[in-house]
Amino acid sequence: MNVIHLSVECYPVAKVGGLADVVGALPKYQRKLGIDASVVMPWYDKPFVKSYELEIVAEGGFNQGSQYLDYTVFHLDESILGFPLYLIKVPGFLDREEVYGYADDSEQWLAFQHAFLHWILNNNIRPDIINCHDHHVGLIPFLLKHGNDFKELSNIKTLFTIHNGQYQGWMNWNKGILLPGFDTWKWGLLDWSGSINPLSSAIRCCDAYSTVSEGYLGELVHEAKGLEGLFIEQSYKAHGIVNGIDLDIWTPANDPLINSKYNARTVKSGKKKNKQIFCEKSGISSEGLLLTYIGRFAHEKGADILAAVMDNYYSNNEKKLTIFILGSGDEQIQADIKQVFSKYAPKIAVYFGYNEALAHEAYAASDVILMPSRVEPCGLNQLYALKYGTIPIVRGVGGLKDTVIDVNEEEGYGFVFKDFTVESIVNAIQRALDYYSKEKKWSDITKKAMSLDFSWDKSAQKYIDLYNQLLK
Ligand code: GLC
């Protein structure tokens, strides 16, 4: 079976969030299970891309509205990432430094989708399945079925995987002329409430769709930025498959990015060493509980509540807690965190930006991580944390609810809270502090956490089973 994963992010080529981690791992695990999986993504002006000699495998061109666009497809051999990688370059659109943040990103993703289809059509590439990831490639299922030029591709089955339904790729209809020619009788399959909506179009036109956890699938029918009804209507082709983690990258016993390697047997002394070095480097005390937040400063991640949580905690409590924050995003959130940081400085350390190596160090050093998400389709940080014996404090939504069991329940190993309020988060932190003060209990949940199996093996197989169903 031949499967192409189509995505605009893939670790380590270009990463903004968890989408990259999934697309950088899933195909590798699928190949181990015997299928021919590869990744196709845009070419970016990034260090990774420029550090390899890429082979040119195809060139071509097409019209996007009144503009003629040239494309080049580059190939990187399987030996580098564990799967073949194809990068599509379109000067002016797919040659940028960043993945997101451009005013014309609709045109950018239209160029990617059109170039991809043009390439496979004209080079006789006929995958059995195209697994599209998120709205940036959401028009593919529609174009395969109703694009004038792509009739020959219409038998290819599509699985559309939703990593985040909050973003749908809305486009004004005046951009309709930029799409490759399509059967205009079918325009309704592109439309949602008067705009072109790539996510809704994908849900309608794909052969099946999946979300990155069961829990999130259940939530989308209640809250999906206007698409709730659609998710109810199309639920007969919906599947929830929880993400895994790439153990080649996330195993503390052989992680080259952490100071002191450890396993479940040596976790206590291992984490202690990592904590000492990390805290010294960050200018915070290594006494007490070290709590970390890693992630984008985005509304859906609940990062806007962090400043108030810290302020509330430190103005009312003994200071048995130190906090490390690593992230970037919304400027107001960053400014609020900065202000609290200056108030309680040696208790809090912050790093504004994206730093993969520092994230590894932080997981190895921390006692707990906090994920106060409003919405969390799966969440990977809690899974990385668990592997490093770092206990998650999470809001019980989406994938967090599916993967973290509260210590009050049988076999529990985390702290789960329900309400998105400062009080409820501070309360969960207090519960963690309390647990932490009882050495035996803490050591038990740490070991339990490390023993859990969230590797990709199981979930990669579930995707394959689903592809097989579609091919029947
Ligand atoms: C998105 C979601 C996150 C998920 C990730 C990978 O970033 O917000 O919850 O884990 O995609 O699927």
Side-chain angles (χ1 to χ4, degrees):
M1 185 194 315
N2 182 291
V3 178
I4 292 181
H5 289 274
L6 201 59
S7 167
V8 303
E9 290 186 44
C10 173
Y11 181 81
V13 190
K15 168 169 170 174
V16 178
L19 167 63
D21 290 3
V22 171
V23 177
L26 174 58
K28 188 169 75 179
Y29 283 78
Q30 289 182 328
R31 290 184 79 82
K32 286 187 199 157
L33 293 168
I35 70 163
D36 180 8
S38 57
V39 171
V40 179
M41 69 183 296
W43 189 99
Y44 295 103
D45 190 4
K46 296 239 178 234
F48 180 93
V49 175
K50 290 193 284 189
S51 62
Y52 288 96
E53 195 141 330
L54 303 166
E55 174 203 4
I56 294 182
V57 290
E59 284 171 312
F62 56 89
N63 283 307
Q64 180 155 293
S66 58
Q67 232 180 335
Y68 184 79
L69 300 178
D70 287 308
Y71 70 85
T72 309
V73 184
F74 297 91
H75 168 242
L76 185 64
D77 186 79
E78 175 188 355
S79 61
I80 310 293
L81 297 177
F83 51 83
L85 174 74
Y86 296 90
L87 302 165
I88 302 183
K89 186 172 187 174
V90 174
F93 287 115
L94 308 181
D95 59 352
R96 300 175 165 177
E97 268 178 49
E98 302 303 328
V99 179
Y100 308 116
Y102 300 93
D104 59 353
D105 57 0
S106 300
E107 286 85 340
Q108 187 181 346
W109 308 137
L110 282 173
F112 178 48
Q113 296 174 89
H114 197 160
F116 168 70
L117 293 174
H118 193 278
W119 165 46
I120 64 168
L121 177 74
N122 292 296
N123 291 271
N124 207 25
I125 298 167
R126 299 289 182 271
D128 298 302
I129 303 274
I130 301 177
N131 194 157
C132 302
H133 296 267
D134 271 354
H135 73 84
H136 325 95
V137 290
L139 297 175
I140 295 289
F142 173 83
L143 291 170
L144 286 175
K145 288 198 167 116
H146 307 296
N148 298 336
D149 293 341
F150 308 120
K151 299 257 172 332
E152 270 178 58
L153 305 176
S154 62
N155 288 331
I156 300 174
K157 300 288 178 201
T158 51
L159 172 66
F160 184 77
T161 301
I162 306 169
H163 297 261
N164 195 334
Q166 300 285 300
Y167 302 97
Q168 305 181 353
W170 309 273
M171 236 181 274
N172 193 296
W173 264 107
N174 63 22
K175 295 199 174 158
I177 48 156
L178 302 177
L179 266 68
F182 59 88
D183 177 355
T184 47
W185 284 96
K186 303 286 182 202
W187 72 275
L189 292 169
L190 294 168
D191 183 81
W192 194 267
S193 297
S195 304
I196 298 178
N197 183 320
L199 182 70
S200 71
S201 172
I203 299 307
R204 284 166 154 159
C205 300
C206 66
D207 295 294
Y209 63 92
S210 62
T211 54
V212 288
S213 70
E214 289 270 359
Y216 186 54
L217 188 58
E219 287 169 5
L220 280 176
V221 301
H222 301 296
E223 166 47 41
K225 292 240 152 113
L227 302 188
E228 301 78 11
L230 180 68
F231 280 113
I232 294 173
E233 175 196 294
Q234 300 285 322
S235 60
Y236 68 94
K237 57 180 184 185
H239 304 262
I241 306 178
V242 72
N243 286 334
I245 60 174
D246 188 347
L247 295 178
D248 295 341
I249 298 175
W250 299 99
T251 298
N254 49 32
D255 183 343
L257 298 173
I258 65 177
N259 287 302
S260 174
K261 305 191 199 331
Y262 58 92
N263 55 33
R265 212 170 27 80
T266 57
V267 53
K268 193 169 170 207
S269 61
K271 281 188 84 72
K272 194 168 171 195
K273 265 188 227 149
N274 283 300
K275 189 173 176 181
Q276 257 158 7
I277 299 171
F278 182 79
C279 288
E280 200 171 311
K281 174 169 146 185
S282 315
I284 48 180
S285 153
S286 61
E287 297 294 312
L289 189 84
L290 173 59
L291 176 147
T292 287
Y293 172 91
I294 299 178
R296 282 180 293 123
F297 295 158
H299 180 81
E300 79 221 51
K301 300 288 172 196
D304 50 311
I305 208 167
L306 291 172
V309 166
M310 294 191 278
D311 207 18
N312 178 299
Y313 180 83
Y314 288 122
S315 49
N316 295 313
N317 290 284
E318 289 171 65
K319 322 248 179 302
K320 282 184 278 184
L321 179 76
T322 44
I323 295 179
F324 175 70
I325 294 184
L326 165 60
S328 61
D330 186 281
E331 280 173 20
Q332 186 58 49
I333 297 180
Q334 191 155 320
D336 292 346
I337 292 176
K338 221 183 235 167
Q339 208 193 352
V340 181
F341 165 72
S342 56
K343 205 161 148 194
Y344 302 104
K347 284 280 147 197
I348 307 173
V350 293
Y351 180 100
F352 293 133
Y354 162 77
N355 187 327
E356 197 74 12
L358 194 55
H360 282 249
E361 286 179 38
Y363 286 116
S366 305
D367 301 297
V368 293
I369 63 147
L370 174 63
M371 297 179 73
S373 308
R374 283 190 179 81
V375 183
E376 197 61 81
C378 176
L380 294 167
N381 291 359
Q382 81 279 16
L383 306 182
Y384 298 144
L386 287 164
K387 199 73 223 157
Y388 283 66
T390 305
I391 303 302
I393 303 179
V394 303
R395 179 147 182 268
V397 286
L400 295 174
K401 195 173 67 197
D402 290 3
T403 55
V404 181
I405 303 178
D406 192 273
V407 293
N408 284 337
E409 289 176 46
E410 213 180 306
E411 303 279 300
Y413 46 80
F415 300 91
V416 183
F417 59 91
K418 197 162 151 261
D419 301 326
F420 187 80
T421 59
V422 171
E423 293 68 37
S424 124
I425 298 174
V426 169
N427 184 275
I429 296 175
Q430 296 283 15
R431 285 208 293 138
L433 275 161
D434 197 40
Y435 227 84
Y436 183 68
S437 66
K438 301 179 182 112
E439 227 179 281
K440 166 84 173 70
K441 273 180 142 182
W442 194 260
S443 138
D444 286 349
I445 55 169
T446 306
K447 293 212 162 97
K448 168 90 198 169
M450 289 186 78
S451 74
L452 299 167
D453 177 13
F454 286 111
S455 81
W456 262 114
D457 298 320
K458 261 185 277 166
S459 295
Q461 184 61 50
K462 285 192 184 155
Y463 275 90
I464 296 176
D465 294 345
L466 182 50
Y467 303 152
N468 274 320
Q469 266 182 44
L470 299 182
L471 293 174
K472 255 190 209 148

